[in-house]
Amino acid sequence: MVDLAFLLVTFFMLTTKFAPAEELVVDTPASVSELRLPESHVIMISIDKDKRVFFGMDDLKAKADLLSRVGQQYGVSFNTDQNKKFTSIASFGVPVQQLPGLLDLETEQRKEFKQGGIPIDSTNNQLSAWVKAAQSASYAAFGKPAYIAIRGDGAADVPTVLRVIKLLQDDNINSFNLITDLEGKPSVAGN
Amino acid sequence: MAEIQQKADSGKGGKKRAKKMSTRMDMTPMVDLAFLLLTFFMLTTTFSKPTVMQLNMPVKPKDQTEQTELKASDAFTVLLGENNKVYYYDGLLDYQTKPELQTTDYSANGIRKIILDRKQRNPGVVVMIKPEEKSTYKNMVDILDEMSITGQKKYALMSISDLDKGLLTDSGK
């Protein structure tokens, strides 16, 4: 029994990948779909019930590249420390101009900080810029584009979701994955 | 903790024997630790990835002439209203024809039955889903879910038009 216990410990230790804490609490609706989200190369767009849009990417390798691409586009520069922190956060929701300030905060402070969401207006459409840069960064690092997953809160309003979808369609992205819970099963802690 | 058996020294002269030590050791603390670690890693592991629902939107047509006109007999429109209400009508809506708007809900006996019924009557039916501004994302996922449950392949997610809004207010919904 002890042998087995240690075997399991070793197994879990080796397979564990610490999930970075989500910045945005989202309660996803349920569906009967049993498709699973791919393990890697996922761009996660979260929408909460206050119409805030957050952007996240899980590929650590492509993230530094992504940050420099978007920084260049908007004339915002990031230092090494900020770069490092950017790879460690799961998602963020501030305009790119405020991003260096957000990254300078300590983890605890960042949780306190009220992030207003990424601008998706037609005059200041930063979400498309992030997605486009993420696709090129992913292409450069892995030779294939990333999956686009939309993680919306059940109480989020449809116009915001449709607006996000429309913005992506403008960039010729027509296939989406809507993240849902499995119907009939309560969501499990740690997911 | 460890059980070490010691023989009491009899003290009655004679040779001094080496104490016999037991080779059994108490493993309880180690096992405790092992299980603690096991529990910790089990709880922190992200085992299952969340499920996803595929949504494919139509590719933007390069020119409008490629579009085919939808027949009114094939059209079936579902309007998602606020407070989890579903409105639906058959046929197409324009300034002359005002189809009758009916109300239902997201339960198994509600919209699902109606879609199955329309499918049976006309296998070529095209469902147009138009979420109203006040409907929630959950409503949208629910109705898309109904499409996969009923096996309805031809559906389109569109934004609500002014005509539809007018129909909603005219019907007092």
Side-chain angles (χ1 to χ4, degrees):
Chain A
M1 190 188 71
V2 179
D3 287 358
L4 187 75
F6 271 102
L7 185 78
L8 286 172
V9 168
T10 327
F11 169 74
F12 281 111
M13 269 172 78
L14 294 179
T15 53
T16 262
K17 205 168 67 181
F18 285 100
E22 279 298 336
E23 313 275 321
L24 193 67
V25 183
V26 165
D27 186 14
T28 51
S31 84
V32 294
S33 170
E34 282 180 2
L35 288 168
R36 296 268 168 197
L37 190 69
E39 290 280 328
S40 49
H41 313 317
V42 176
I43 296 173
M44 180 89 77
I45 298 169
S46 311
I47 301 160
D48 82 342
K49 54 180 184 294
D50 302 323
K51 303 186 185 195
R52 295 185 299 165
V53 179
F54 277 52
F55 178 90
M57 195 181 183
D58 68 344
D59 287 314
L60 300 183
K61 269 199 281 177
K63 256 182 147 174
D65 187 20
L66 162 72
L67 190 63
S68 68
R69 275 172 202 255
V70 178
Q72 237 170 27
Q73 195 181 338
Y74 284 93
V76 183
S77 59
F78 299 92
N79 59 34
T80 352
D81 196 37
Q82 287 163 346
N83 231 318
K84 218 165 142 190
K85 269 194 184 158
F86 181 72
T87 35
S88 71
I89 58 170
S91 63
F92 64 92
V94 289
V96 64
Q97 290 82 1
Q98 290 175 24
L99 195 55
L102 179 78
L103 293 174
D104 279 338
L105 296 176
E106 293 299 318
T107 316
E108 287 307 312
Q109 285 175 302
R110 203 168 51 230
K111 276 184 191 148
E112 303 277 305
F113 186 79
K114 179 100 173 131
Q115 303 189 30
I118 295 170
I120 52 167
D121 324 317
S122 48
T123 47
N124 186 14
N125 171 14
Q126 295 187 2
L127 184 71
S128 290
W130 280 106
V131 173
K132 253 189 270 180
Q135 291 288 39
S136 1
S138 173
Y139 212 80
F142 312 105
K144 57 179 175 184
Y147 295 92
I148 312 264
I150 298 179
R151 185 163 147 269
D153 193 291
D157 63 330
V158 171
T160 312
V161 178
L162 288 182
R163 167 107 193 110
V164 168
I165 290 178
K166 198 180 157 294
L167 286 179
L168 297 174
Q169 277 192 289
D170 289 344
D171 294 331
N172 259 326
I173 299 166
N174 292 303
S175 180
F176 308 96
N177 295 297
L178 306 181
I179 295 191
T180 54
D181 290 333
L182 202 53
E183 187 122 44
K185 285 186 184 171
S187 61
V188 186
N191 266 1
Chain B
M1 276 281 200
E3 293 163 35
I4 302 171
Q5 291 173 343
Q6 268 183 310
K7 255 190 191 164
D9 210 8
S10 55
K12 265 194 194 168
K15 283 177 232 163
K16 270 208 169 157
R17 284 221 182 117
K19 284 174 197 161
K20 243 194 184 164
M21 301 275 248
S22 163
T23 48
R24 286 173 63 180
M25 209 171 64
D26 185 13
M27 289 207 286
T28 322
M30 189 185 72
V31 177
D32 283 356
L33 189 71
F35 275 103
L36 185 79
L37 286 172
L38 183 59
T39 328
F40 172 72
F41 282 108
M42 270 172 78
L43 292 180
T44 50
T45 295
T46 45
F47 241 135
S48 53
K49 286 279 167 187
T51 54
V52 292
M53 176 192 251
Q54 288 262 325
L55 172 65
N56 291 313
M57 300 293 277
V59 179
K60 254 192 290 176
K62 291 206 176 66
D63 68 295
Q64 292 295 320
T65 49
E66 279 179 25
Q67 301 265 53
T68 48
E69 201 78 20
L70 179 66
K71 278 188 293 179
S73 57
D74 284 346
F76 178 67
T77 304
V78 181
L79 300 172
L80 312 182
E82 59 180 322
N83 299 328
N84 299 326
K85 288 224 177 67
V86 190
Y87 309 108
Y88 62 94
Y89 62 83
D90 295 285
L92 286 171
L93 180 66
D94 54 34
Y95 290 104
Q96 282 87 45
T97 46
K98 286 257 183 286
E100 197 192 340
L101 194 67
Q102 277 162 306
T103 314
T104 180
D105 56 17
Y106 291 98
S107 67
N109 282 325
I111 190 74
R112 189 178 306 167
K113 224 175 179 176
I114 292 152
I115 292 170
L116 281 173
D117 178 56
R118 290 296 183 287
K119 247 176 77 107
Q120 215 166 34
R121 265 196 254 164
N122 174 12
V125 67
V126 177
V127 181
M128 288 183 282
I129 303 166
K130 300 183 179 178
E132 200 218 338
E133 266 97 352
K134 280 182 188 136
S135 61
T136 62
Y137 175 65
K138 184 180 184 305
N139 297 151
M140 193 179 108
V141 169
D142 278 345
I143 196 79
L144 292 174
D145 209 24
E146 290 303 324
M147 294 298 132
S148 69
I149 291 171
T150 54
Q152 173 70 31
K153 294 265 161 35
K154 280 169 135 179
Y155 60 88
L157 186 67
M158 352 214 287
S159 38
I160 194 160
S161 65
D162 287 339
L163 270 172
D164 291 312
K165 277 188 213 165
L167 186 67
L168 276 177
T169 37
D170 287 349
S171 316
K173 302 287 165 61

